[in-house]
Amino acid sequence: MLKEKIENLLPLVKSPSRYIGGELNSVVKDKSKIDVRFAFCFPDSYDVGMSHLGMKILYFLKNKRDNFWCERVFAPWLDFEELMRKNNIPLYALESLDPVKEFDFIGFTIQYELCYTNILNMIDLAGLPVKSKDRTDDMPIVVAGGPCVCNPEPLADFIDLFILGEGEEVNLELMDLYAHMKKQRCSKKEFLEAAAEIEGIYVPSFYDVSYNEDGTIQSVTPNNSHASETVRKRIIKDLDSVFYPEDFVVPYCEIVHDRAVVEVLRGCIRGCRFCQAGFIYRPFREKSSDTICRQTRSLCESTGYEEVSLSSLSTSDLTDIEETLTRLSEYTAEEKINLSLPSMRIDRFSRELMEELSRIRRSGLTFAPEAGTQRLRDVINKNITEEEIMRACKIAFEGGYTAVKLYFMLGLPTETDEDIIGIAKLAEKIADLYYNNPGRQKGKHLQISISCATFVPKPFTPFEFEPQATGEEIRRKQKLLLDSIHSRKRVTVSWHNYKVSILEAVLARGDRRLCDAVYEAWKEGCKFDSWDECYDYDKWAEVFERLGTDLSFYAHRARSYDEIAPWQHLDYFVSRDFLVRENKKAHEAGTTPDCRTKCAGCGLSKAMGGACFGKN
């Protein structure tokens, strides 16, 4: 009956293939032979979620087990959600079309703070109470993982347990535990107590938070004997041996990143002080060239994709990058497959690397100087010089490239007007370099695109203590940048909505008192907050005002080094002492070498009882 109701509504919505399943390589199993069912929920549209590598990995990892069945669930777009509610269609999984409230687990991957209201909306669409305390023993366990759970407190009221760190091992341990306890008919509380003893599992209801008179946190203490004072994240030691899928589900419609993806490394050696991923994904680990080439061939052959991307935080930091590209390009050129290399570091861009790239594509190059002056690049520990930027651009121009995209941030700690004007000056220097190149192709004009994001201070970074610039300050900085650019024909500027960044900052460093704000914003109709056409800052502001929540307390306030952070009971292996040292060095414009050059003592090796993994 549910399938028939869904099919009748599909002609009425945009991209109906998002909602019916049946794609190539999707996994369908016999329910009668399954011990544990897992609804893997991505709290955004199908087009975005189907591009996410983590979902691809965990989907096939779980389905490799005969007694587990993992199915995919995405947030329905506004048009289909309206029809679902009008026609009493609950949130369902794509493989079976069964309601997710019939599953054992409902699991969310949380990639971005602006998806929090979508999580509540999906739980509600499933026909379940959105608050964990209101869900009974016969209802699914709601779990969440992903980068945002390094500070899960603004979702503490809604999620039964969080998975910290990398999920390949802990997900199977959790499902094995559930399969065992399900046969014993254990209660939800008994299961959560047992789960809390698994490294990497955080059960928020097992902790109490108290506050000082000034609103800062006084303490976070366990209230259950099964909960430890500190919860450590999980990591995978060997990327060559860890599971990686040989298949991807191939959608019928176009998605954001419609291609095969091969992960080449995890972590980052760089230590940019604004970059949360660079710290929470430590340690740095690489795959071998043999593994990368084998997985590339396997995925391209099983999916039929004509493009493959090498994925990581900094792909050009792969030790054997030139050798790997040479081997891959022989295969991709023969099979007419485009090879994409994102995450390019300016200081690793060489003539040899460009020649390899030119064999497989000819498009614009993207670099991320992040700041317009050397002083500010040193503050953020970008560890690239203007000379290296100009050298990389010169190599690219001599190789025939005519388009460069540059990423910057506004509102960085210690930023001055001179730093903002420096963005415009750097763009002009790059343009002059191109037009003064005697070997450039005549008649070809250069296009420089500047993209500016608003700085958001994030947990587990040296800048977690810093205030975010106010909206008024960001508007002034944007105007100053535009006024400083003299050639609008060859230099274009774009930026993200700073009002989105303010909410992101509030949620990123928020405590569990924000659960009420997330709940009320959802009740007011907020969802798909990361989409410009859906984001309603005024609704959020009204909720904060009604609840007496001070935005400045969370977004625009500097934090002292001895203040207890909402996430301080969660251990991502990077020590707080290190973050404080790095913050102090930032204010002195001092730099720290990358991990491959010299160990900076971040605390990772001490926490793990030995040297970091990878070829550092």
Side-chain angles (χ1 to χ4, degrees):
M1 287 293 294
L2 185 58
K3 180 180 180 181
E4 184 178 337
K5 290 175 70 174
I6 294 168
E7 289 178 341
N8 288 338
L9 298 176
L10 294 182
L12 306 177
V13 299
K14 180 182 178 181
S15 298
S17 60
R18 294 169 170 172
Y19 307 115
I20 199 60
E23 307 98 321
L24 176 68
N25 296 330
S26 59
V27 179
V28 177
K29 295 188 176 184
D30 182 349
K31 283 189 289 187
S32 65
K33 299 178 180 179
I34 300 302
D35 294 326
V36 182
R37 299 186 70 183
F38 194 105
F40 198 134
C41 298
F42 196 96
D44 209 322
S45 71
Y46 177 97
D47 315 53
V48 176
M50 281 293 290
S51 303
H52 181 239
L53 178 58
M55 188 176 208
K56 300 173 193 290
I57 294 173
L58 294 178
Y59 174 80
F60 284 102
L61 170 75
K62 294 170 181 175
N63 282 322
K64 194 175 180 182
R65 290 279 297 270
D66 291 337
N67 62 326
F68 296 163
W69 189 9
C70 178
E71 302 184 49
R72 296 162 298 132
V73 186
F74 302 94
W77 192 248
L78 307 181
D79 55 352
F80 192 56
E81 182 195 339
E82 182 181 1
L83 291 172
M84 288 174 67
R85 291 189 182 276
K86 284 183 178 178
N87 292 274
N88 296 316
I89 296 175
L91 189 69
Y92 60 88
L94 289 182
E95 280 71 15
S96 64
L97 303 184
D98 287 342
V100 299
K101 66 181 178 182
E102 298 178 1
F103 284 58
D104 299 297
F105 286 97
I106 297 177
F108 291 94
T109 178
I110 312 179
Q111 300 296 310
Y112 187 33
E113 292 86 355
L114 273 294
C115 74
Y116 289 178
T117 51
N118 272 18
I119 293 173
L120 273 60
N121 200 48
M122 292 175 76
I123 296 173
D124 181 67
L125 271 172
L128 299 169
V130 298
K131 294 186 177 181
S132 56
K133 67 180 179 63
D134 298 326
R135 294 193 291 267
T136 56
D137 283 5
D138 60 343
M139 294 177 180
I141 302 293
V142 179
V143 308
C148 285
V149 305
C150 70
N151 178 26
E153 296 305 284
L155 289 174
D157 287 354
F158 316 109
I159 306 297
D160 294 316
L161 65 85
F162 293 95
I163 299 172
L164 276 56
E166 295 165 347
E168 287 94 337
E169 295 172 347
V170 66
N171 268 271
L172 296 183
E173 293 171 16
L174 187 67
M175 293 175 73
D176 277 329
L177 174 67
Y178 187 88
H180 172 71
M181 299 190 75
K182 183 180 181 180
K183 293 176 183 176
Q184 297 180 335
R185 299 184 181 277
C186 294
S187 67
K188 175 181 176 180
K189 183 180 180 182
E190 288 172 325
F191 170 73
L192 292 177
E193 288 178 337
E197 297 183 353
I198 299 175
E199 186 173 61
I201 299 296
Y202 170 52
V203 181
S205 62
F206 290 172
Y207 295 80
D208 293 325
V209 182
S210 61
Y211 302 91
N212 297 308
E213 289 185 4
D214 64 358
T216 59
I217 291 177
Q218 184 179 74
S219 66
V220 180
T221 54
N223 60 34
N224 188 295
S225 61
H226 295 269
S228 59
E229 290 189 6
T230 303
V231 183
R232 289 161 58 101
K233 75 166 183 175
R234 292 291 290 267
I235 59 171
I236 300 297
K237 296 183 179 181
D238 184 1
L239 290 194
D240 279 330
S241 61
V242 72
F243 173 83
Y244 198 80
E246 297 180 355
D247 306 311
F248 281 176
V249 177
V250 182
Y252 292 120
C253 62
E254 186 175 349
I255 58 177
V256 175
H257 300 301
D258 206 7
R259 60 197 180 199
V261 182
V262 175
E263 183 185 32
V264 299
L265 60 86
R266 285 186 192 175
C268 185
I269 63 173
R270 296 293 176 168
C272 298
R273 291 172 180 138
F274 59 85
C275 181
Q276 184 183 62
F279 292 101
I280 67 171
Y281 290 151
R282 291 187 178 198
F284 180 80
R285 293 142 293 162
E286 301 178 308
K287 288 181 181 176
S288 67
S289 183
D290 287 343
T291 299
I292 294 169
C293 293
R294 183 181 72 252
Q295 291 176 350
T296 298
R297 294 178 71 102
S298 175
L299 280 175
C300 290
E301 289 170 4
S302 69
T303 62
Y305 274 121
E306 296 179 348
E307 180 178 358
V308 60
S309 173
L310 303 185
S311 174
S312 77
L313 292 177
S314 182
T315 302
S316 53
D317 278 330
L318 184 71
T319 302
D320 303 324
I321 183 63
E322 285 87 0
E323 175 196 344
T324 302
L325 281 179
T326 299
R327 294 178 61 185
L328 284 176
S329 60
E330 291 173 358
Y331 165 72
T332 55
E334 180 181 344
E335 298 295 326
K336 295 182 173 55
I337 295 170
N338 185 41
L339 183 60
S340 173
L341 184 65
S343 307
M344 182 74 67
R345 281 282 305 192
I346 290 175
D347 56 344
R348 288 278 287 169
F349 187 72
S350 64
R351 196 173 305 278
E352 294 76 19
L353 188 58
M354 185 203 65
E355 289 172 355
E356 289 296 337
L357 289 172
S358 297
R359 289 176 59 188
I360 51 184
R361 67 174 183 176
R362 173 71 62 174
S363 58
L365 287 173
T366 299
F367 296 124
E370 308 292 2
T373 64
Q374 192 59 50
R375 185 200 68 83
L376 194 54
R377 284 193 292 275
D378 290 344
V379 167
I380 65 177
N381 204 46
K382 189 65 182 177
N383 274 330
I384 56 171
T385 63
E386 185 171 302
E387 181 182 355
E388 288 171 325
I389 296 171
M390 302 306 287
R391 180 187 61 81
C393 290
K394 184 174 185 291
I395 292 172
F397 296 155
E398 290 175 348
Y401 286 88
T402 60
V404 178
K405 187 168 188 176
L406 303 172
Y407 284 106
F408 295 93
M409 276 186 284
L410 295 179
L412 285 163
T414 80
E415 182 182 71
T416 65
D417 286 358
E418 182 181 348
D419 297 312
I420 297 170
I421 296 170
I423 295 174
K425 288 182 176 179
L426 181 60
E428 295 289 348
K429 288 180 182 178
I430 292 172
D432 290 342
L433 178 70
Y434 174 82
Y435 287 107
N436 290 331
N437 174 21
R440 71 179 177 88
Q441 300 179 48
K442 303 303 180 185
K444 293 282 187 178
H445 294 287
L446 174 67
Q447 183 59 55
I448 299 176
S449 301
I450 293 175
S451 178
C452 291
T454 298
F455 165 69
V456 177
K458 291 291 183 89
F460 294 102
T461 71
F463 287 162
E464 69 173 43
F465 311 100
E466 298 293 332
Q468 184 188 45
T470 64
E472 182 180 356
E473 291 170 336
I474 291 299
R475 289 194 299 271
R476 188 190 68 81
K477 292 172 186 288
Q478 291 173 343
K479 184 178 185 304
L480 176 60
L481 176 57
L482 280 180
D483 292 343
S484 302
I485 293 173
H486 304 301
S487 178
R488 299 287 181 88
K489 287 186 178 180
R490 59 188 186 185
V491 180
T492 61
V493 181
S494 62
W495 38 60
H496 303 295
N497 183 349
Y498 70 86
K499 291 183 178 181
V500 171
S501 299
I502 291 174
L503 179 59
E504 182 182 348
V506 170
L507 296 175
R509 293 189 297 177
D511 51 56
R512 60 177 60 183
R513 289 173 296 187
L514 288 182
C515 290
D516 289 340
V518 174
Y519 180 80
E520 291 299 324
W522 166 68
K523 293 289 284 184
E524 291 294 327
C526 291
K527 53 194 167 188
F528 286 104
D529 293 307
S530 62
W531 293 74
D532 288 342
E533 60 265 47
C534 298
Y535 181 57
D536 193 331
Y537 178 79
D538 292 338
K539 279 185 180 178
W540 276 96
E542 288 170 8
V543 166
F544 286 132
E545 184 177 1
R546 187 167 72 243
L547 295 177
T549 304
D550 182 5
L551 283 176
S552 296
F553 178 83
Y554 292 104
H556 309 310
R557 175 179 66 89
R559 285 147 173 77
S560 65
Y561 295 143
D562 59 357
E563 179 179 330
I564 295 176
W567 54 88
Q568 205 154 309
H569 56 300
L570 307 180
D571 185 2
Y572 274 72
F573 292 1
V574 177
S575 74
R576 192 168 180 84
D577 287 344
F578 168 75
L579 298 179
V580 170
R581 290 199 308 271
E582 283 294 290
N583 183 271
K584 290 178 178 178
K585 286 182 73 173
H587 284 273
E588 298 167 356
T591 60
T592 299
D594 65 71
C595 301
R596 193 172 268 151
T597 301
K598 182 182 179 182
C599 176
C602 72
L604 195 72
S605 60
K606 182 179 179 181
M608 297 190 310
C612 298
F613 306 107
K615 303 173 183 177
N616 290 8

